[in-house]
């Protein structure tokens, strides 16, 4: 009898011990889960970044690369860039190459896509200026547009299909029409052109390497280049060099694409563009 009661108590104590251990383990487990959740929140763990592809004019390379780094930190948007001549980017978009945002160095190329209904409504986000970039090691005496017609000057410009090239030829024609240069000087400048590039960065590169005495590029491309002397001309200052941006109509990431545009046109994005020499409102 006593032995049976003793065994019964032992069994009861064993069951109680198991229950206590189970409850304690569950409580610890809940506490650990809550602590982990709190730690994850405190450490700033977040969802995978939204991803977009931005097609942008080559002259935006430095500024947009910096914007891409900042927007990933601030908005958790990872940007893949394709930098090239605006006309080349238009051709790619027309061929169906995947893109979410298009930023052009002129309104002409943007209008091509707008007319084809390839982009949504665009907005001007920056302005630039055309300048003469002279290699500092060159012996050529260049202080104005007219000087590009001097004997022996080797000149590199953008192709007419490239915004920078189109702007140059517009300024050249306007200078002749305004009698700022005569027909003979006009002809000499044309004769001195040794190559016409499809990318403004290639113009800069040829001048820096000494393949040309001077090139016509954007102010933002020539600024802070130790090999280059920047020369302004009043004929260039008459040009309206606007940079428009728009969401590509076929984009599968329109919300993130619009977030990128909003970032470029406000606050930190505008500040970065200013740092790289662009004019912004």
């Amino acid at each position: 009898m006593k032995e049976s009661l003793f065994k019964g108590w032992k069994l009861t104590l064993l069951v109680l011990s198991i229950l206590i251990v189970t409850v304690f383990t569950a409580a610890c487990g809940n506490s650990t889960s809550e602590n982990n959740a709190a730690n994850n929140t405190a450490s700033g763990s977040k969802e995978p970044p939204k991803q977009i592809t931005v097609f942008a004019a080559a002259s935006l390379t430095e500024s947009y690369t910096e914007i891409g780094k900042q927007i990933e930190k601030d908005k958790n948007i990872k940007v893949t860039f394709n930098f090239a001549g605006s006309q080349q980017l238009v051709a790619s978009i027309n061929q169906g190459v995947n893109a979410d945002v298009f930023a052009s160095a002129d309104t002409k190329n943007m209008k091509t896509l707008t007319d084809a209904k390839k982009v949504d409504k665009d907005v001007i986000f920056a302005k630039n200026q055309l300048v003469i970039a002279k290699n500092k090691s060159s012996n050529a005496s260049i202080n104005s547009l007219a000087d590009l017609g001097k004997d022996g000057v080797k000149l590199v410009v953008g192709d007419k299909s490239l915004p920078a090239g189109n702007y140059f030829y517009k300024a050249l024609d306007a200078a002749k029409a305004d009698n700022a240069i005569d027909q003979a000087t006009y002809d000499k400048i044309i004769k001195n052109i040794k190559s016409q590039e499809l990318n403004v960065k290639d113009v800069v590169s040829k001048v820096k390497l000494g393949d040309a005495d001077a090139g016509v590029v954007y102010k933002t491309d020539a600024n802070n280049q130790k090999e280059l002397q920047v020369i302004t001309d009043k004929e260039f200052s008459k040009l309206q060099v606007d940079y428009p941006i728009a969401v590509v109509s076929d984009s599968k990431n329109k919300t993130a694409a619009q977030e990128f545009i909003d970032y470029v046109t406000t606050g930190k994005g505008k500040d970065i563009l200013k740092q790289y020499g662009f004019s912004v409102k």
Side-chain angles (χ1 to χ4, degrees):
M1 177 79 175
K2 287 181 180 180
E3 187 178 347
S4 297
L5 286 172
F6 180 70
K7 287 182 179 179
W9 276 110
K10 283 181 70 177
L11 181 60
T12 301
L13 287 171
L14 180 61
V15 171
L16 285 172
S17 298
I18 292 171
L19 287 172
I20 289 169
V21 170
T22 301
V23 171
F24 181 75
T25 301
C28 288
N30 288 337
S31 177
T32 301
S33 297
E34 290 171 2
N35 287 336
N36 286 340
N39 288 336
N40 286 339
T41 301
S43 64
S45 63
K46 54 189 177 183
E47 296 179 356
K50 292 168 278 187
Q51 300 194 32
I52 60 171
T53 300
V54 173
F55 279 24
S59 52
L60 293 165
T61 301
E62 294 81 10
S63 58
Y64 265 32
T65 298
E66 180 65 24
I67 286 173
K69 293 175 183 175
Q70 291 301 320
I71 198 171
E72 185 169 4
K73 293 177 184 176
D74 296 342
K75 301 290 184 181
N76 200 29
I77 297 174
K78 185 171 180 58
V79 186
T80 298
F81 289 106
N82 180 8
F83 295 111
S86 298
Q87 81 287 359
Q88 295 170 314
L89 298 173
V90 167
S92 294
I93 292 172
N94 275 328
Q95 290 166 9
V97 177
N98 178 60
D100 300 299
V101 174
F102 173 54
S104 176
D106 66 350
T107 55
K108 179 183 176 182
N109 278 289
M110 182 64 78
K111 188 175 186 302
T112 297
L113 292 183
T114 300
D115 291 346
K117 302 189 185 307
K118 295 287 187 177
V119 294
D120 298 344
K121 183 175 176 57
D122 64 276
V123 59
I124 303 298
F125 69 93
K127 296 178 183 294
N128 212 337
Q129 182 181 344
L130 214 63
V131 298
I132 299 167
K134 179 197 166 191
N135 186 305
K136 289 181 179 178
S137 298
S138 168
N139 293 322
S141 176
I142 300 172
N143 297 294
S144 68
L145 175 63
D147 289 339
L148 297 178
K150 288 182 175 179
D151 291 342
V153 170
K154 291 184 289 185
L155 178 63
V156 178
V157 299
D159 184 81
K160 285 184 179 180
S161 65
L162 180 73
N166 186 45
Y167 288 131
F168 164 71
Y169 284 103
K170 274 187 178 180
L172 196 59
D173 289 340
K176 185 176 71 171
D178 295 341
N179 295 316
I181 60 173
D182 57 23
Q183 184 66 51
T185 302
Y186 180 97
D187 293 341
K188 287 179 180 178
I189 291 173
I190 296 296
K191 185 179 179 181
N192 283 345
I193 296 173
K194 302 308 176 187
S195 71
Q196 301 180 71
E197 305 299 323
L198 294 174
N199 182 318
V200 72
K201 295 298 185 186
D202 291 338
V203 177
V204 173
S205 178
K206 287 203 168 187
V207 178
K208 288 173 66 175
L209 291 171
D211 293 339
D213 297 298
V216 178
V217 298
Y218 298 116
K219 178 181 69 174
T220 55
D221 291 306
N223 280 350
N224 303 316
Q225 300 278 359
K226 63 181 182 180
E227 302 93 343
L228 303 179
Q229 175 190 352
V230 177
I231 301 161
T232 59
D233 187 274
K234 63 180 181 179
E235 294 302 321
F236 291 153
S237 66
K238 298 175 184 177
L239 297 168
Q240 182 104 353
V241 184
D242 292 333
Y243 281 60
I245 190 170
V247 175
V248 177
S249 299
D250 290 339
S251 169
K252 302 296 189 294
N253 309 293
K254 285 198 170 187
T255 299
Q258 187 59 52
E259 283 187 72
F260 178 85
I261 293 176
D262 292 343
Y263 195 87
V264 166
T265 54
T266 59
K268 194 176 290 185
K270 287 175 65 174
D271 290 341
I272 291 171
L273 288 167
K274 285 182 188 177
Q275 290 169 15
Y276 283 90
F278 290 93
S279 297
V280 297
K281 292 182 179 179

